[in-house]
Amino acid sequence: MAENNEFIREVNEDYRRDQVAAIWRRYSGAIIAVAILVVAGVGGWRYWQHDQRVRADAASEQFDAANRLARDGKIEEADKAFTALETDAPGGYRLLARFRSAAETAKRDAAAGATEYDALAADTGVSDALRDLARLRAALLRLDGPQADAALASLQGLAAPTGAFRHTAREMLGLVALRRGEYDAAGRWFDQINADPQAPQNLRQRIEVYAALVAGGPVTVTAATPEPAAPPPVTR
């Protein structure tokens, strides 16, 4: 019985070897080609990862250098450095450079800075959250200019209940209403902040001050009634 089992096992092993050999003879070219593609693919992937790390490290150094130029007041050099990053840097640093460039431009020219933020807000390749951030910054730059009404409309859109920057938008809308003497409107914006469970604590503390200003209402200044002139001194 044991000899029969041994014989059957040897027959099965011979059969499997013959099958493998037959498969190799028929498909050896394809197998070798697949193996080469796998090795090349892994090698290419590793090279791409290495290249991305090298480019990211270089972009990080260039971004730091551009920031130093901006801090040192070397405006033209900083602009060139940020422009180079916007063109050649990996995606993350390219986007970061665009935001920083817009911020630096806004320091010199609010309208031009807002225009750069508009370009970021219109870029469908940028995430929705970052596009909203660009809209917010553009609106804030325009609040005191001739496009104030458009800026307020943009802030109202950002103040929606699901907006990532709704807290800042509502605060600014309330402050603008307060500055204009529109106390009821200001109170409504501040109430929305208070009713939002996700409103940050430091903002809630500021809202307490704003709410007190709203409760105080407009300050009425009355003209002082002039006192009657003193009688002339009596002379003898």
Side-chain angles (χ1 to χ4, degrees), residues 13-75:
E13 288 177 357
D14 287 341
Y15 176 76
R16 283 195 294 271
R17 281 196 294 270
D18 291 341
Q19 289 293 100
V20 170
I23 292 172
W24 176 255
R25 285 193 299 272
R26 178 175 296 182
Y27 300 109
S28 58
I31 293 171
I32 292 172
V34 170
I36 291 172
L37 288 174
V38 169
V39 172
V42 171
W45 172 251
R46 295 284 177 83
Y47 174 79
W48 181 84
Q49 287 182 315
H50 173 73
D51 180 65
Q52 290 297 105
R53 284 195 297 270
V54 170
R55 292 184 65 201
D57 290 343
S60 176
E61 293 177 3
Q62 292 170 5
F63 186 77
D64 289 341
N67 280 332
R68 286 194 297 271
L69 290 170
R71 287 195 299 268
D72 294 342
K74 299 177 181 178
I75 305 302

Short mmCIF file of all heavy atoms in Angstrom, two decimals, residues 13-75:
data_model
loop_
_atom_site.label_atom_id
_atom_site.label_comp_id
_atom_site.label_asym_id
_atom_site.label_seq_id
_atom_site.Cartn_x
_atom_site.Cartn_y
_atom_site.Cartn_z
N GLU A 13 4.09 14.12 -9.40
CA GLU A 13 5.17 15.11 -9.49
C GLU A 13 5.72 15.20 -10.90
O GLU A 13 6.00 16.30 -11.41
CB GLU A 13 6.28 14.75 -8.50
CG GLU A 13 5.88 14.99 -7.05
CD GLU A 13 6.98 14.57 -6.08
OE1 GLU A 13 8.02 14.04 -6.55
OE2 GLU A 13 6.79 14.76 -4.87
N ASP A 14 5.89 14.02 -11.54
CA ASP A 14 6.35 14.03 -12.94
C ASP A 14 5.36 14.75 -13.83
O ASP A 14 5.75 15.52 -14.74
CB ASP A 14 6.54 12.59 -13.43
CG ASP A 14 7.76 11.93 -12.80
OD1 ASP A 14 8.63 12.69 -12.30
OD2 ASP A 14 7.84 10.70 -12.83
N TYR A 15 4.08 14.52 -13.56
CA TYR A 15 3.05 15.17 -14.39
C TYR A 15 3.10 16.68 -14.22
O TYR A 15 3.01 17.45 -15.19
CB TYR A 15 1.67 14.62 -14.00
CG TYR A 15 0.54 15.29 -14.73
CD1 TYR A 15 0.27 14.97 -16.07
CD2 TYR A 15 -0.26 16.24 -14.10
CE1 TYR A 15 -0.76 15.59 -16.73
CE2 TYR A 15 -1.28 16.86 -14.77
CZ TYR A 15 -1.53 16.53 -16.09
OH TYR A 15 -2.55 17.14 -16.76
N ARG A 16 3.23 17.14 -12.95
CA ARG A 16 3.29 18.59 -12.70
C ARG A 16 4.51 19.21 -13.35
O ARG A 16 4.45 20.31 -13.92
CB ARG A 16 3.27 18.86 -11.19
CG ARG A 16 1.89 18.71 -10.56
CD ARG A 16 1.87 19.35 -9.18
NE ARG A 16 2.73 18.64 -8.25
CZ ARG A 16 2.34 17.61 -7.49
NH1 ARG A 16 1.08 17.19 -7.59
NH2 ARG A 16 3.18 17.04 -6.67
N ARG A 17 5.66 18.51 -13.29
CA ARG A 17 6.87 19.04 -13.92
C ARG A 17 6.68 19.15 -15.43
O ARG A 17 7.09 20.14 -16.04
CB ARG A 17 8.07 18.13 -13.61
CG ARG A 17 8.64 18.36 -12.22
CD ARG A 17 10.03 17.73 -12.11
NE ARG A 17 9.96 16.28 -12.22
CZ ARG A 17 9.81 15.46 -11.19
NH1 ARG A 17 9.71 15.95 -9.95
NH2 ARG A 17 9.76 14.16 -11.37
N ASP A 18 6.04 18.12 -16.01
CA ASP A 18 5.79 18.17 -17.45
C ASP A 18 4.86 19.33 -17.80
O ASP A 18 5.05 20.03 -18.81
CB ASP A 18 5.17 16.85 -17.93
CG ASP A 18 6.17 15.69 -17.86
OD1 ASP A 18 7.38 15.99 -17.80
OD2 ASP A 18 5.72 14.53 -17.85
N GLN A 19 3.84 19.57 -16.94
CA GLN A 19 2.92 20.67 -17.19
C GLN A 19 3.62 22.02 -17.12
O GLN A 19 3.42 22.89 -17.95
CB GLN A 19 1.77 20.62 -16.17
CG GLN A 19 0.79 19.47 -16.38
CD GLN A 19 0.01 19.65 -17.67
OE1 GLN A 19 0.34 19.04 -18.69
NE2 GLN A 19 -1.01 20.50 -17.64
N VAL A 20 4.46 22.17 -16.07
CA VAL A 20 5.20 23.43 -15.91
C VAL A 20 6.13 23.65 -17.09
O VAL A 20 6.24 24.76 -17.63
CB VAL A 20 5.98 23.43 -14.58
CG1 VAL A 20 6.94 24.62 -14.52
CG2 VAL A 20 5.03 23.47 -13.40
N ALA A 21 6.81 22.59 -17.50
CA ALA A 21 7.72 22.70 -18.64
C ALA A 21 6.97 23.08 -19.91
O ALA A 21 7.43 23.90 -20.70
CB ALA A 21 8.47 21.38 -18.82
N ALA A 22 5.80 22.48 -20.08
CA ALA A 22 5.01 22.79 -21.27
C ALA A 22 4.55 24.25 -21.25
O ALA A 22 4.58 24.94 -22.27
CB ALA A 22 3.80 21.85 -21.35
N ILE A 23 4.10 24.68 -20.08
CA ILE A 23 3.67 26.08 -19.95
C ILE A 23 4.83 27.02 -20.21
O ILE A 23 4.69 28.03 -20.89
CB ILE A 23 3.06 26.32 -18.55
CG1 ILE A 23 1.73 25.55 -18.42
CG2 ILE A 23 2.86 27.81 -18.29
CD1 ILE A 23 1.14 25.55 -17.03
N TRP A 24 6.00 26.69 -19.66
CA TRP A 24 7.18 27.55 -19.86
C TRP A 24 7.56 27.63 -21.33
O TRP A 24 7.87 28.71 -21.83
CB TRP A 24 8.33 27.01 -19.03
CG TRP A 24 9.61 27.78 -19.25
CD1 TRP A 24 10.69 27.39 -19.95
CD2 TRP A 24 9.89 29.10 -18.79
NE1 TRP A 24 11.65 28.36 -19.96
CE2 TRP A 24 11.18 29.44 -19.24
CE3 TRP A 24 9.18 30.03 -18.03
CZ2 TRP A 24 11.78 30.66 -18.97
CZ3 TRP A 24 9.78 31.23 -17.75
CH2 TRP A 24 11.05 31.55 -18.23
N ARG A 25 7.53 26.46 -22.02
CA ARG A 25 7.89 26.47 -23.45
C ARG A 25 6.91 27.33 -24.24
O ARG A 25 7.30 28.04 -25.16
CB ARG A 25 7.89 25.03 -23.99
CG ARG A 25 9.10 24.21 -23.57
CD ARG A 25 9.20 22.94 -24.39
NE ARG A 25 8.04 22.07 -24.21
CZ ARG A 25 7.92 21.15 -23.27
NH1 ARG A 25 8.92 20.97 -22.40
NH2 ARG A 25 6.83 20.40 -23.20
N ARG A 26 5.64 27.29 -23.85
CA ARG A 26 4.65 28.02 -24.62
C ARG A 26 4.62 29.51 -24.28
O ARG A 26 4.44 30.35 -25.16
CB ARG A 26 3.26 27.40 -24.37
CG ARG A 26 2.13 28.13 -25.10
CD ARG A 26 0.81 27.42 -24.93
NE ARG A 26 0.83 26.10 -25.55
CZ ARG A 26 -0.23 25.28 -25.57
NH1 ARG A 26 -1.36 25.67 -24.99
NH2 ARG A 26 -0.16 24.10 -26.14
N TYR A 27 4.77 29.82 -22.98
CA TYR A 27 4.55 31.21 -22.55
C TYR A 27 5.80 31.87 -21.96
O TYR A 27 5.69 32.91 -21.32
CB TYR A 27 3.43 31.25 -21.49
CG TYR A 27 2.12 30.72 -21.98
CD1 TYR A 27 1.63 29.50 -21.49
CD2 TYR A 27 1.37 31.42 -22.92
CE1 TYR A 27 0.41 29.00 -21.93
CE2 TYR A 27 0.16 30.92 -23.36
CZ TYR A 27 -0.32 29.71 -22.87
OH TYR A 27 -1.52 29.22 -23.31
N SER A 28 6.96 31.29 -22.17
CA SER A 28 8.16 31.84 -21.54
C SER A 28 8.40 33.29 -21.96
O SER A 28 8.80 34.14 -21.15
CB SER A 28 9.39 30.99 -21.90
OG SER A 28 9.56 30.93 -23.32
N GLY A 29 8.17 33.60 -23.25
CA GLY A 29 8.38 34.97 -23.71
C GLY A 29 7.48 35.95 -22.99
O GLY A 29 7.92 37.03 -22.55
N ALA A 30 6.21 35.60 -22.86
CA ALA A 30 5.26 36.49 -22.18
C ALA A 30 5.60 36.62 -20.70
O ALA A 30 5.52 37.71 -20.12
CB ALA A 30 3.84 35.97 -22.34
N ILE A 31 6.00 35.51 -20.08
CA ILE A 31 6.35 35.55 -18.64
C ILE A 31 7.54 36.46 -18.41
O ILE A 31 7.57 37.28 -17.48
CB ILE A 31 6.61 34.13 -18.12
CG1 ILE A 31 5.32 33.31 -18.14
CG2 ILE A 31 7.20 34.18 -16.72
CD1 ILE A 31 5.52 31.83 -17.84
N ILE A 32 8.56 36.33 -19.27
CA ILE A 32 9.75 37.18 -19.13
C ILE A 32 9.37 38.65 -19.34
O ILE A 32 9.83 39.53 -18.62
CB ILE A 32 10.83 36.73 -20.13
CG1 ILE A 32 11.37 35.35 -19.73
CG2 ILE A 32 11.96 37.75 -20.18
CD1 ILE A 32 12.30 34.74 -20.76
N ALA A 33 8.52 38.90 -20.34
CA ALA A 33 8.11 40.28 -20.62
C ALA A 33 7.36 40.88 -19.43
O ALA A 33 7.60 42.04 -19.03
CB ALA A 33 7.23 40.33 -21.86
N VAL A 34 6.46 40.10 -18.84
CA VAL A 34 5.72 40.58 -17.66
C VAL A 34 6.67 40.87 -16.50
O VAL A 34 6.55 41.88 -15.80
CB VAL A 34 4.64 39.57 -17.26
CG1 VAL A 34 4.04 39.93 -15.91
CG2 VAL A 34 3.55 39.50 -18.32
N ALA A 35 7.64 39.94 -16.30
CA ALA A 35 8.60 40.13 -15.22
C ALA A 35 9.40 41.41 -15.42
O ALA A 35 9.64 42.18 -14.49
CB ALA A 35 9.53 38.93 -15.13
N ILE A 36 9.80 41.65 -16.67
CA ILE A 36 10.56 42.87 -16.96
C ILE A 36 9.71 44.12 -16.70
O ILE A 36 10.18 45.10 -16.13
CB ILE A 36 11.05 42.85 -18.42
CG1 ILE A 36 12.14 41.77 -18.59
CG2 ILE A 36 11.61 44.21 -18.83
CD1 ILE A 36 12.55 41.55 -20.03
N LEU A 37 8.43 44.06 -17.12
CA LEU A 37 7.54 45.19 -16.89
C LEU A 37 7.34 45.46 -15.41
O LEU A 37 7.30 46.62 -14.97
CB LEU A 37 6.19 44.94 -17.57
CG LEU A 37 6.19 45.00 -19.10
CD1 LEU A 37 4.81 44.59 -19.63
CD2 LEU A 37 6.53 46.42 -19.57
N VAL A 38 7.20 44.39 -14.62
CA VAL A 38 7.03 44.56 -13.18
C VAL A 38 8.25 45.21 -12.57
O VAL A 38 8.17 46.17 -11.78
CB VAL A 38 6.73 43.21 -12.50
CG1 VAL A 38 6.81 43.34 -10.99
CG2 VAL A 38 5.36 42.70 -12.92
N VAL A 39 9.44 44.70 -12.93
CA VAL A 39 10.68 45.27 -12.39
C VAL A 39 10.84 46.73 -12.82
O VAL A 39 11.18 47.60 -12.03
CB VAL A 39 11.89 44.43 -12.85
CG1 VAL A 39 13.19 45.13 -12.47
CG2 VAL A 39 11.84 43.04 -12.23
N ALA A 40 10.54 46.99 -14.10
CA ALA A 40 10.65 48.36 -14.60
C ALA A 40 9.64 49.27 -13.92
O ALA A 40 9.95 50.43 -13.58
CB ALA A 40 10.45 48.38 -16.11
N GLY A 41 8.42 48.74 -13.70
CA GLY A 41 7.40 49.55 -13.04
C GLY A 41 7.78 49.90 -11.61
O GLY A 41 7.64 51.05 -11.18
N VAL A 42 8.28 48.92 -10.88
CA VAL A 42 8.70 49.17 -9.49
C VAL A 42 9.87 50.16 -9.47
O VAL A 42 9.90 51.10 -8.67
CB VAL A 42 9.09 47.85 -8.81
CG1 VAL A 42 9.73 48.13 -7.45
CG2 VAL A 42 7.86 46.97 -8.63
N GLY A 43 10.81 49.95 -10.39
CA GLY A 43 11.94 50.87 -10.46
C GLY A 43 11.51 52.28 -10.82
O GLY A 43 11.99 53.26 -10.23
N GLY A 44 10.58 52.39 -11.78
CA GLY A 44 10.08 53.71 -12.17
C GLY A 44 9.34 54.39 -11.04
O GLY A 44 9.49 55.60 -10.82
N TRP A 45 8.54 53.60 -10.31
CA TRP A 45 7.81 54.15 -9.17
C TRP A 45 8.76 54.66 -8.10
O TRP A 45 8.58 55.76 -7.57
CB TRP A 45 6.88 53.09 -8.60
CG TRP A 45 6.21 53.47 -7.31
CD1 TRP A 45 6.46 52.98 -6.07
CD2 TRP A 45 5.17 54.44 -7.14
NE1 TRP A 45 5.66 53.56 -5.13
CE2 TRP A 45 4.85 54.47 -5.77
CE3 TRP A 45 4.49 55.28 -8.01
CZ2 TRP A 45 3.86 55.31 -5.25
CZ3 TRP A 45 3.51 56.13 -7.49
CH2 TRP A 45 3.20 56.13 -6.13
N ARG A 46 9.79 53.88 -7.79
CA ARG A 46 10.78 54.32 -6.79
C ARG A 46 11.50 55.58 -7.26
O ARG A 46 11.74 56.50 -6.47
CB ARG A 46 11.80 53.19 -6.55
CG ARG A 46 11.20 51.95 -5.91
CD ARG A 46 10.94 52.16 -4.43
NE ARG A 46 10.31 51.02 -3.82
CZ ARG A 46 10.95 49.94 -3.40
NH1 ARG A 46 12.27 49.85 -3.55
NH2 ARG A 46 10.29 48.96 -2.83
N TYR A 47 11.84 55.63 -8.54
CA TYR A 47 12.53 56.82 -9.06
C TYR A 47 11.61 58.03 -8.98
O TYR A 47 12.05 59.12 -8.59
CB TYR A 47 12.95 56.59 -10.51
CG TYR A 47 13.53 57.82 -11.15
CD1 TYR A 47 14.86 58.21 -10.90
CD2 TYR A 47 12.75 58.63 -11.99
CE1 TYR A 47 15.38 59.36 -11.47
CE2 TYR A 47 13.27 59.77 -12.56
CZ TYR A 47 14.58 60.13 -12.30
OH TYR A 47 15.10 61.28 -12.85
N TRP A 48 10.32 57.85 -9.32
CA TRP A 48 9.38 58.96 -9.26
C TRP A 48 9.23 59.47 -7.83
O TRP A 48 9.22 60.69 -7.59
CB TRP A 48 8.02 58.51 -9.79
CG TRP A 48 6.99 59.60 -9.79
CD1 TRP A 48 6.79 60.56 -10.74
CD2 TRP A 48 6.03 59.86 -8.76
NE1 TRP A 48 5.76 61.39 -10.38
CE2 TRP A 48 5.27 61.00 -9.17
CE3 TRP A 48 5.72 59.25 -7.55
CZ2 TRP A 48 4.24 61.52 -8.40
CZ3 TRP A 48 4.69 59.78 -6.78
CH2 TRP A 48 3.96 60.90 -7.20
N GLN A 49 9.16 58.55 -6.86
CA GLN A 49 9.07 58.95 -5.46
C GLN A 49 10.31 59.75 -5.05
O GLN A 49 10.20 60.78 -4.37
CB GLN A 49 8.91 57.73 -4.56
CG GLN A 49 7.53 57.08 -4.63
CD GLN A 49 7.42 55.91 -3.68
OE1 GLN A 49 8.32 55.07 -3.60
NE2 GLN A 49 6.33 55.86 -2.94
N HIS A 50 11.47 59.25 -5.44
CA HIS A 50 12.71 59.95 -5.11
C HIS A 50 12.74 61.33 -5.76
O HIS A 50 13.11 62.33 -5.10
CB HIS A 50 13.91 59.12 -5.58
CG HIS A 50 15.23 59.83 -5.45
ND1 HIS A 50 15.83 60.04 -4.23
CD2 HIS A 50 16.04 60.39 -6.39
CE1 HIS A 50 16.97 60.70 -4.42
NE2 HIS A 50 17.12 60.92 -5.71
N ASP A 51 12.32 61.41 -7.01
CA ASP A 51 12.32 62.70 -7.72
C ASP A 51 11.36 63.68 -7.05
O ASP A 51 11.68 64.87 -6.92
CB ASP A 51 11.91 62.48 -9.18
CG ASP A 51 11.89 63.78 -9.97
OD1 ASP A 51 12.97 64.38 -10.15
OD2 ASP A 51 10.80 64.19 -10.41
N GLN A 52 10.20 63.20 -6.61
CA GLN A 52 9.24 64.07 -5.93
C GLN A 52 9.80 64.59 -4.62
O GLN A 52 9.60 65.76 -4.27
CB GLN A 52 7.92 63.33 -5.68
CG GLN A 52 7.12 63.04 -6.94
CD GLN A 52 6.68 64.32 -7.63
OE1 GLN A 52 7.22 64.70 -8.65
NE2 GLN A 52 5.70 64.98 -7.06
N ARG A 53 10.50 63.73 -3.87
CA ARG A 53 11.11 64.18 -2.61
C ARG A 53 12.17 65.24 -2.87
O ARG A 53 12.24 66.24 -2.16
CB ARG A 53 11.72 63.00 -1.86
CG ARG A 53 10.70 62.11 -1.16
CD ARG A 53 11.39 61.19 -0.16
NE ARG A 53 12.31 60.29 -0.81
CZ ARG A 53 11.98 59.08 -1.25
NH1 ARG A 53 10.73 58.66 -1.13
NH2 ARG A 53 12.87 58.29 -1.82
N VAL A 54 12.98 65.01 -3.89
CA VAL A 54 14.04 65.99 -4.22
C VAL A 54 13.42 67.31 -4.63
O VAL A 54 13.84 68.39 -4.18
CB VAL A 54 14.94 65.44 -5.34
CG1 VAL A 54 15.88 66.52 -5.85
CG2 VAL A 54 15.75 64.25 -4.83
N ARG A 55 12.38 67.27 -5.47
CA ARG A 55 11.73 68.51 -5.92
C ARG A 55 11.04 69.23 -4.77
O ARG A 55 11.07 70.46 -4.68
CB ARG A 55 10.72 68.19 -7.02
CG ARG A 55 11.33 67.71 -8.33
CD ARG A 55 10.27 67.52 -9.38
NE ARG A 55 9.67 68.80 -9.73
CZ ARG A 55 8.48 68.94 -10.30
NH1 ARG A 55 7.74 67.87 -10.57
NH2 ARG A 55 8.01 70.13 -10.61
N ALA A 56 10.42 68.46 -3.87
CA ALA A 56 9.75 69.07 -2.73
C ALA A 56 10.76 69.74 -1.80
O ALA A 56 10.51 70.85 -1.30
CB ALA A 56 8.95 68.02 -1.96
N ASP A 57 11.89 69.09 -1.57
CA ASP A 57 12.93 69.69 -0.72
C ASP A 57 13.46 70.98 -1.35
O ASP A 57 13.64 71.99 -0.66
CB ASP A 57 14.08 68.70 -0.51
CG ASP A 57 13.68 67.53 0.37
OD1 ASP A 57 12.67 67.65 1.07
OD2 ASP A 57 14.40 66.50 0.35
N ALA A 58 13.69 70.94 -2.65
CA ALA A 58 14.19 72.14 -3.35
C ALA A 58 13.14 73.26 -3.30
O ALA A 58 13.48 74.42 -3.07
CB ALA A 58 14.54 71.80 -4.79
N ALA A 59 11.87 72.91 -3.49
CA ALA A 59 10.80 73.92 -3.45
C ALA A 59 10.67 74.51 -2.06
O ALA A 59 10.41 75.72 -1.91
CB ALA A 59 9.48 73.29 -3.89
N SER A 60 10.85 73.68 -1.04
CA SER A 60 10.78 74.19 0.33
C SER A 60 11.86 75.24 0.58
O SER A 60 11.60 76.29 1.17
CB SER A 60 10.92 73.03 1.32
OG SER A 60 10.95 73.51 2.65
N GLU A 61 13.07 74.95 0.13
CA GLU A 61 14.16 75.91 0.29
C GLU A 61 13.89 77.19 -0.50
O GLU A 61 14.14 78.30 -0.01
CB GLU A 61 15.48 75.27 -0.15
CG GLU A 61 15.93 74.12 0.74
CD GLU A 61 17.21 73.46 0.23
OE1 GLU A 61 17.75 73.95 -0.77
OE2 GLU A 61 17.65 72.47 0.85
N GLN A 62 13.37 77.05 -1.71
CA GLN A 62 13.07 78.23 -2.53
C GLN A 62 11.95 79.06 -1.90
O GLN A 62 12.00 80.30 -1.93
CB GLN A 62 12.66 77.79 -3.94
CG GLN A 62 13.80 77.18 -4.75
CD GLN A 62 13.30 76.54 -6.03
OE1 GLN A 62 12.12 76.63 -6.36
NE2 GLN A 62 14.19 75.89 -6.75
N PHE A 63 10.97 78.39 -1.33
CA PHE A 63 9.87 79.11 -0.69
C PHE A 63 10.36 79.88 0.53
O PHE A 63 9.98 81.05 0.74
CB PHE A 63 8.76 78.13 -0.29
CG PHE A 63 7.52 78.79 0.24
CD1 PHE A 63 6.62 79.40 -0.64
CD2 PHE A 63 7.25 78.82 1.59
CE1 PHE A 63 5.48 80.02 -0.16
CE2 PHE A 63 6.11 79.44 2.07
CZ PHE A 63 5.21 80.03 1.20
N ASP A 64 11.20 79.25 1.34
CA ASP A 64 11.77 79.95 2.50
C ASP A 64 12.60 81.15 2.05
O ASP A 64 12.54 82.23 2.67
CB ASP A 64 12.64 78.99 3.31
CG ASP A 64 11.82 77.95 4.06
OD1 ASP A 64 10.61 78.18 4.23
OD2 ASP A 64 12.38 76.92 4.46
N ALA A 65 13.36 80.98 0.97
CA ALA A 65 14.18 82.09 0.47
C ALA A 65 13.29 83.22 -0.02
O ALA A 65 13.58 84.41 0.23
CB ALA A 65 15.08 81.59 -0.66
N ALA A 66 12.20 82.91 -0.70
CA ALA A 66 11.28 83.94 -1.18
C ALA A 66 10.64 84.69 -0.02
O ALA A 66 10.48 85.92 -0.05
CB ALA A 66 10.20 83.31 -2.06
N ASN A 67 10.29 83.96 1.04
CA ASN A 67 9.72 84.61 2.23
C ASN A 67 10.72 85.55 2.88
O ASN A 67 10.36 86.65 3.32
CB ASN A 67 9.28 83.55 3.25
CG ASN A 67 7.95 82.93 2.90
OD1 ASN A 67 7.12 83.56 2.26
ND2 ASN A 67 7.73 81.70 3.32
N ARG A 68 11.98 85.14 2.94
CA ARG A 68 13.01 86.01 3.53
C ARG A 68 13.17 87.28 2.70
O ARG A 68 13.31 88.38 3.24
CB ARG A 68 14.34 85.26 3.63
CG ARG A 68 14.38 84.23 4.74
CD ARG A 68 15.82 83.78 5.01
NE ARG A 68 16.41 83.13 3.85
CZ ARG A 68 16.32 81.83 3.61
NH1 ARG A 68 15.63 81.05 4.43
NH2 ARG A 68 16.91 81.30 2.54
N LEU A 69 13.14 87.14 1.37
CA LEU A 69 13.24 88.33 0.51
C LEU A 69 12.08 89.28 0.76
O LEU A 69 12.26 90.51 0.81
CB LEU A 69 13.27 87.89 -0.96
CG LEU A 69 14.53 87.17 -1.43
CD1 LEU A 69 14.31 86.60 -2.82
CD2 LEU A 69 15.73 88.13 -1.45
N ALA A 70 10.87 88.72 0.93
CA ALA A 70 9.70 89.56 1.19
C ALA A 70 9.83 90.27 2.52
O ALA A 70 9.52 91.47 2.64
CB ALA A 70 8.43 88.71 1.13
N ARG A 71 10.28 89.54 3.55
CA ARG A 71 10.44 90.16 4.87
C ARG A 71 11.51 91.25 4.85
O ARG A 71 11.41 92.24 5.58
CB ARG A 71 10.80 89.09 5.91
CG ARG A 71 9.66 88.19 6.30
CD ARG A 71 9.97 87.43 7.56
NE ARG A 71 11.15 86.58 7.40
CZ ARG A 71 11.12 85.31 7.02
NH1 ARG A 71 9.96 84.75 6.72
NH2 ARG A 71 12.22 84.60 6.89
N ASP A 72 12.53 91.07 4.03
CA ASP A 72 13.62 92.05 3.95
C ASP A 72 13.28 93.24 3.06
O ASP A 72 14.12 94.12 2.85
CB ASP A 72 14.90 91.38 3.44
CG ASP A 72 15.43 90.35 4.44
OD1 ASP A 72 15.03 90.42 5.62
OD2 ASP A 72 16.24 89.49 4.03
N GLY A 73 12.08 93.25 2.50
CA GLY A 73 11.67 94.36 1.66
C GLY A 73 12.20 94.31 0.24
O GLY A 73 12.09 95.30 -0.49
N LYS A 74 12.75 93.18 -0.17
CA LYS A 74 13.26 93.04 -1.54
C LYS A 74 12.12 92.55 -2.43
O LYS A 74 12.05 91.39 -2.81
CB LYS A 74 14.44 92.07 -1.55
CG LYS A 74 15.61 92.55 -0.69
CD LYS A 74 16.75 91.53 -0.66
CE LYS A 74 17.90 92.03 0.23
NZ LYS A 74 19.00 91.04 0.30
N ILE A 75 11.23 93.48 -2.73
CA ILE A 75 9.96 93.14 -3.34
C ILE A 75 10.12 92.50 -4.72
O ILE A 75 9.53 91.45 -5.00
CB ILE A 75 9.07 94.39 -3.45
CG1 ILE A 75 8.91 95.06 -2.06
CG2 ILE A 75 7.71 94.02 -4.02
CD1 ILE A 75 8.33 94.15 -1.02
#
